[in-house]
Amino acid sequence: QSSQPQSSLSPAALVGIGMVFAGCCSNVFFLELIIKEAPSSGNIVTFFQFLFIAAHGFVTTAKFGRARRAIPLSYYALMVSMFFVVQVVNNYALNFNISMPLHMIFRSGSLMANLVLGVLILNKSYPLSKYASVLVITAGIVVCTIESASDARRPPADKAEAAAAASEQVELLRWCLGVLMLVFALFMSARMGIFQEETYRKYGKHPDESLFYNHCLPLPGFLLLSADIWQHVRLFSESAPMWPLPVPRLWVWLAGNVLTQYLCIRGVFILTTECSSLTVTLVVTLRKFSSLIFSIFYFNNRFTGMHWLGTICVFGGTLIFTETHQRLRNLLLDNRKKS
């Protein structure tokens, strides 16, 4: 009898991977439905995501405020400040002519930002293959960004909108501002990752506690966005009903987005405690690629040959960085030895 090959992933890790793919891909689907009808909905979406996860964590993790913290509040305050800025800036960038595919490709450049800040802040050194893969990722983002610039100059299809729209130059300037916001959020997210790594090294990993405080502490910051959020509450309430439910469809889509966001981020936090950072990055990158492909075909987003070239560079460079080919080779060799 031949022995059965053992999986290198724990059951919890497999559950986390399933949650990431099911939750994150569904989350992008609901977000794009919302953005297609109400492009400036980033703030209300972020607010309800934070509110739901914080309320859930207050009951299950904080035990209604009775549970003791493992990590000092001062660390969470700094971590949360960065997390809040990253989430708001990423979502707000959608207001500046940034398409969902470009948005996903940009956010897939996290390895590049992590490497750059690792060298500048932590004085890390990496093999030459790591630098080469980051150059490939960067080239892919640049190609997609340049190709997407033509979308920013394209006038609205609706004549009434076109009559009221700003000039072509103003629209391009808005798009450039959106790209700068994505760049800022990319590097801020990398800096937050370094700070989290240092904090967890000192106090240990506490994913449930981190998930709660990362979403609870920023809630007062949404008071600065209250006018925009309230405006979109009215907008959502006036949307067409979701047949056969007598509920405005934007609220239904928002509920779906919030629930799947919790599933997605909970899966990521599980993976951070069960797998190496490279494995987590690989899973998240493959999930982003799946979401990108779905977005292109289901929502008929414009995607040219240059977009495909840039996408291949981004995801191919990510797989090289995480040494996926070597991992697959070792896995195949192990299976052959066990069979």
Side-chain angles (χ1 to χ4, degrees):
Q1 294 181 349
S2 60
S3 59
Q4 295 293 327
Q6 300 295 317
S7 173
S8 59
L9 293 174
S10 67
L14 294 174
V15 170
I17 291 173
M19 292 173 68
V20 167
F21 273 89
C24 298
C25 292
S26 302
N27 179 260
V28 171
F29 170 73
F30 284 113
L31 178 60
E32 187 137 8
L33 286 175
I34 295 170
I35 295 301
K36 288 287 186 181
E37 185 161 332
S40 59
S41 302
N43 290 332
I44 188 174
V45 170
T46 307
F47 170 69
F48 277 99
Q49 288 175 350
F50 276 58
L51 183 63
F52 176 81
I53 294 175
H56 182 273
F58 183 72
V59 175
T60 60
T61 302
K63 307 300 180 184
F64 297 95
R66 296 192 301 269
R68 295 185 61 183
R69 288 188 307 274
I71 299 175
L73 193 61
S74 58
Y75 281 78
Y76 278 124
L78 183 54
M79 189 186 304
V80 160
S81 298
M82 291 186 283
F83 183 69
F84 177 76
V85 169
V86 168
Q87 292 295 103
V88 170
V89 171
N90 264 325
N91 283 330
Y92 203 66
L94 294 170
N95 297 359
F96 293 82
N97 298 336
I98 299 296
S99 68
M100 282 299 295
L102 180 62
H103 194 270
M104 286 185 280
I105 292 169
F106 241 98
R107 297 184 71 173
S108 300
S110 55
L111 281 177
M112 179 263 295
N114 279 314
L115 183 142
V116 171
L117 292 188
V119 172
L120 295 178
I121 297 177
L122 301 178
N123 295 319
K124 288 185 176 181
S125 59
Y126 299 91
L128 186 60
S129 61
K130 302 291 187 185
Y131 292 103
S133 65
V134 166
L135 287 176
V136 174
I137 294 170
T138 305
I141 292 175
V142 170
V143 167
C144 286
T145 304
I146 293 174
E147 183 66 13
S148 296
S150 60
D151 294 334
R153 294 191 295 267
R154 190 170 296 168
D158 185 82
K159 293 182 179 180
E161 290 183 19
S167 65
E168 178 179 306
Q169 290 76 15
V170 172
E171 290 302 309
L172 180 59
L173 182 61
R174 280 173 52 81
W175 176 84
C176 290
L177 182 59
V179 169
L180 289 176
M181 293 171 70
L182 290 178
V183 172
F184 171 80
L186 184 66
F187 280 91
M188 177 64 78
S189 178
R191 183 64 186 92
M192 180 182 70
I194 291 175
F195 180 74
Q196 284 178 321
E197 184 178 338
E198 294 171 339
T199 300
Y200 294 153
R201 188 183 301 118
K202 185 175 182 179
Y203 294 101
K205 292 183 177 181
H206 304 277
D208 291 331
E209 181 181 288
S210 299
L211 183 64
F212 168 64
Y213 281 102
N214 275 332
H215 290 82
C216 176
L217 294 182
L219 286 177
F222 285 100
L223 291 173
L224 301 173
L225 309 171
S226 57
D228 180 75
I229 293 172
W230 181 245
Q231 176 186 350
H232 282 84
V233 166
R234 295 198 301 266
L235 176 64
F236 277 40
S237 299
E238 295 169 358
S239 62
M242 183 75 176
W243 188 89
L245 302 174
V247 181
R249 61 185 180 187
L250 281 174
W251 284 116
V252 176
W253 295 339
L254 179 61
N257 177 270
V258 168
L259 292 173
T260 54
Q261 171 71 3
Y262 173 75
L263 189 66
C264 169
I265 199 166
R266 185 74 183 87
V268 172
F269 272 80
I270 290 175
L271 286 179
T272 58
T273 59
E274 295 290 331
C275 307
S276 68
S277 58
L278 286 179
T279 301
V280 175
T281 302
L282 173 61
V283 171
V284 172
T285 299
L286 291 176
R287 192 281 304 169
K288 289 176 180 176
F289 184 73
S290 302
S291 298
L292 176 65
I293 299 301
F294 181 82
S295 174
I296 293 167
F297 289 104
Y298 186 85
F299 292 101
N300 294 319
N301 284 305
R302 178 177 174 270
F303 217 74
T304 66
M306 295 302 292
H307 282 116
W308 278 113
L309 175 61
T311 301
I312 292 171
C313 288
V314 170
F315 289 103
T318 300
L319 295 179
I320 294 172
F321 186 95
T322 53
E323 299 177 346
T324 304
H325 61 292
Q326 187 64 40
R327 291 167 182 265
L328 291 176
R329 179 174 176 273
N330 292 339
L331 182 62
L332 290 173
L333 289 177
D334 289 342
N335 287 336
R336 287 177 182 176
K337 291 179 181 179
K338 293 175 180 177
S339 60

